[in-house]
Amino acid sequence: MKFAAAVRFEAPLTRYETAALAKDTRSEDDVEGRLPTLASLGLEEPSNESDYGGHTEDTPSEGETPANRRLQLAQNKKKAARSKHEAARQRKVDKDREEQATGRIPEGLGVFVDGMAIERSNWFYGGALDSHFYYSRLMNTVFVSDEAIAAKTAEEGRGERYRHPSIELNKVVPRGFPMNPQQLRKLRALAQTHRKSMTVRIEAYYLMREFQRISLNHFPAVRDRTMALVCTPEYDHIMPPLDLSSRHMNIAVMPTPEGYLRWKERSGRPFFTLAGFDSEGVRHTFDLERLAQNLLYFSRPGMQNSVLGIAMDNAYRIHWRTMLGHAITRGLAPAGRARGRFARLLALILARPGLYREAIAEYNAANPLAPFTPMSWTDIQLRPPHFEAAAAVNISDADVLRAMIANGLPPEWVDHAYTFGVVYLETHFFEANASIDLYRDIDDERHRRLDRY
């Protein structure tokens, strides 16, 4: 097998560690114990006792005069009416307690701690908000449209906290997104009422819709009570204040950060490009962070086409292990017609646990005087194999494994990149294509190897 000249790859400056989100340390009892009670609201517990010595029967007691009897009946009627009223107030208090309860924040959602208060973080991993919204890290508050631009300018430009000028919106949802079911219902009512200004109604509508969109993109186990409620059919058909085609429904978009874009001339036509990022700059690198940034900026996440093997969620977060598989494929795949087939076989090898280690064991047995030597993480040099155009269709797993061993690809890297291979396999497995039998065989072998290892 022939190889191209060795290419030295830029290694990352540091290793990567998983950053854990803050958790809600309260127990369910702690959360429920802080809910409003009758005493905290200044209400008395309802009682069924009579004001007349506990006698509530319609039959007169011994020695009771008709006048006293009439007085007792009148008192009992007042007491019954008062008890009925207190019971209604009790039901209202119970309903308010249920509506205002946030419950314990699920792990993985993130919390915001403000003094002694613990609440759900509205940051949502940083990439979930649409470009019409701005998240304030100082106040855990989401702003929309012109207010989003004003809040961003105040906080990032002047270092000041921004207060929304709308008293109605602040009163209903102080954090922008509803924090409990009661705030959610009031936000919906605010968007649908005809008594408020159209600007407030439109902002309320878009805040509710964005909160619903983000909540739907979370697994049910990670949703808090408010997120779970907005995902119910009750909120599926909320009408906007105006027709969506109306110019009044067009809300402002957050401006592009300064220095993010630059003007460039190519072939006589001006166009915008991302400052500091270009495909050549990450061509020879194993810095996974730079590669991930390159993918986010240039692969147009959210569109129909995707980068095969890359696991990316709706918040545009990329799975690190799939990035390692992506880096190995980019660096080792040959140029020309053989590149596509080689990359596919390499991804399928990564999806089969233990296959590469078995190939290394066979190589060491056949070459006892020149055993396999893995490369160092700090000195990455790869020599892509060279295949003639006519031989590209005949590349096999054995060719790819020989190229991996010849380059000293550490088996730990291949194990770490297993997720890349699985995502690649899954992407093709559920598509109608001519190679479906091949993918089924690979998946069956993957399961057998998982059982074995």
Side-chain angles (χ1 to χ4, degrees):
M1 180 181 294
K2 298 180 180 180
F3 290 89
V7 177
R8 186 179 298 277
F9 282 73
E10 174 190 8
L13 298 178
T14 58
R15 295 295 184 96
Y16 301 99
E17 297 180 357
T18 301
L21 290 172
K23 300 178 181 179
D24 188 350
T25 57
R26 302 169 298 175
S27 67
E28 291 292 346
D29 293 336
D30 292 336
V31 176
E32 295 300 327
R34 297 176 185 176
L35 298 179
T37 61
L38 283 173
S40 66
L41 297 177
L43 302 177
E44 297 180 357
E45 294 289 344
S47 173
N48 292 325
E49 292 186 2
S50 171
D51 289 342
Y52 236 81
H55 294 288
T56 57
E57 300 87 356
D58 291 333
T59 58
S61 59
E62 184 178 355
E64 185 178 33
T65 65
N68 289 341
R69 176 59 184 161
R70 288 193 297 269
L71 179 60
Q72 179 182 343
L73 291 176
Q75 290 287 350
N76 287 344
K77 288 180 180 179
K78 291 181 180 180
K79 185 64 176 181
R82 186 160 59 249
S83 296
K84 183 178 180 181
H85 179 66
E86 291 292 342
R89 295 172 71 183
Q90 173 67 59
R91 287 193 297 270
K92 184 179 185 305
V93 170
D94 291 342
K95 183 178 180 181
D96 288 342
R97 290 181 62 184
E98 180 70 17
E99 291 284 292
Q100 295 172 13
T102 60
R104 188 175 179 276
I105 301 168
E107 293 188 10
L109 194 58
V111 300
F112 180 85
V113 181
D114 185 9
M116 297 298 294
I118 298 177
E119 60 188 30
R120 181 196 68 233
S121 171
N122 287 325
W123 183 54
F124 290 115
Y125 319 112
L129 285 176
D130 188 78
S131 58
H132 300 88
F133 299 82
Y134 172 74
Y135 170 74
S136 168
R137 293 177 179 266
L138 300 178
M139 300 181 293
N140 191 36
T141 303
V142 177
F143 299 92
V144 61
S145 191
D146 294 327
E147 304 309 324
I149 299 175
K152 180 180 175 66
T153 303
E155 293 192 356
E156 298 184 3
R158 303 190 298 270
E160 303 173 354
R161 289 196 174 197
Y162 178 78
R163 183 172 178 82
H164 198 291
S166 172
I167 299 177
E168 295 93 343
L169 201 58
N170 258 332
K171 186 176 180 181
V172 173
V173 280
R175 300 301 193 193
F177 280 167
M179 305 302 289
N180 57 52
Q182 185 181 72
Q183 289 186 7
L184 176 61
R185 297 190 191 282
K186 289 183 176 181
L187 185 64
R188 181 179 65 176
L190 185 61
Q192 294 179 320
T193 184
H194 295 280
R195 303 175 187 175
K196 304 298 180 181
S197 69
M198 187 57 66
T199 301
V200 171
R201 293 177 59 195
I202 291 174
E203 288 190 12
Y205 172 79
Y206 278 116
L207 283 170
M208 183 178 61
R209 279 304 186 210
E210 182 69 2
F211 180 68
Q212 182 186 52
R213 183 187 68 82
I214 293 175
S215 300
L216 288 170
N217 288 334
H218 282 73
F219 287 109
V222 190
R223 298 171 187 161
D224 66 3
R225 295 184 69 245
T226 315
M227 297 170 67
L229 178 60
V230 81
C231 294
T232 59
E234 179 183 355
Y235 288 84
D236 283 349
H237 305 289
I238 305 300
M239 298 299 296
L242 296 172
D243 189 274
L244 291 176
S245 61
S246 171
R247 64 181 180 87
H248 298 289
M249 291 296 290
N250 294 330
I251 55 178
V253 180
M254 293 295 297
T256 303
E258 184 178 354
Y260 189 78
L261 295 177
R262 66 181 179 215
W263 191 255
K264 191 174 181 181
E265 294 280 347
R266 179 184 290 176
S267 303
R269 293 191 304 167
F271 69 101
F272 281 116
T273 183
L274 291 157
F277 290 94
D278 58 85
S279 57
E280 293 298 323
V282 296
R283 184 175 182 181
H284 297 144
T285 182
F286 255 70
D287 190 329
L288 303 187
E289 186 172 359
R290 289 189 62 194
L291 284 173
Q293 290 174 339
N294 185 73
L295 283 177
L296 290 172
Y297 287 134
F298 290 105
S299 66
R300 299 179 181 180
M303 304 294 286
Q304 185 174 4
N305 294 330
S306 60
V307 181
L308 296 180
I310 295 297
M312 184 184 303
D313 65 8
N314 290 287
Y316 302 145
R317 295 172 300 162
I318 297 178
H319 198 296
W320 274 121
R321 293 193 177 190
T322 62
M323 281 308 307
L324 179 59
H326 176 72
I328 293 173
T329 304
R330 281 171 56 97
L332 200 57
R337 293 181 58 184
R339 185 174 183 84
R341 180 172 176 81
F342 186 95
R344 181 178 75 163
L345 293 175
L346 175 56
L348 297 179
I349 288 174
L350 297 178
R352 286 174 280 179
L355 180 59
Y356 181 54
R357 291 181 180 271
E358 292 174 359
I360 292 176
E362 293 179 2
Y363 173 84
N364 289 337
N367 301 273
L369 300 180
F372 170 79
T373 303
M375 73 171 71
S376 169
W377 179 262
T378 58
D379 185 22
I380 304 175
Q381 297 186 51
L382 293 178
R383 294 177 300 154
H386 174 73
F387 297 95
E388 298 294 337
V393 295
N394 297 320
I395 298 176
S396 64
D397 286 346
D399 296 323
V400 179
L401 289 169
R402 281 198 295 269
M404 296 168 67
I405 293 174
N407 278 274
L409 206 63
E412 294 81 10
W413 293 15
V414 175
D415 295 341
H416 199 72
Y418 166 75
T419 309
F420 173 85
V422 172
V423 173
Y424 181 93
L425 178 62
E426 181 185 30
T427 303
H428 289 82
F429 194 83
F430 293 102
E431 293 180 352
N433 56 71
S435 302
I436 187 63
D437 291 336
L438 168 66
Y439 296 125
R440 284 175 178 168
D441 292 341
I442 296 293
D443 191 54
D444 290 341
E445 182 182 351
R446 179 179 71 88
H447 282 281
R448 290 194 298 270
R449 289 181 170 275
L450 287 174
D451 293 337
R452 185 191 313 171
Y453 293 105

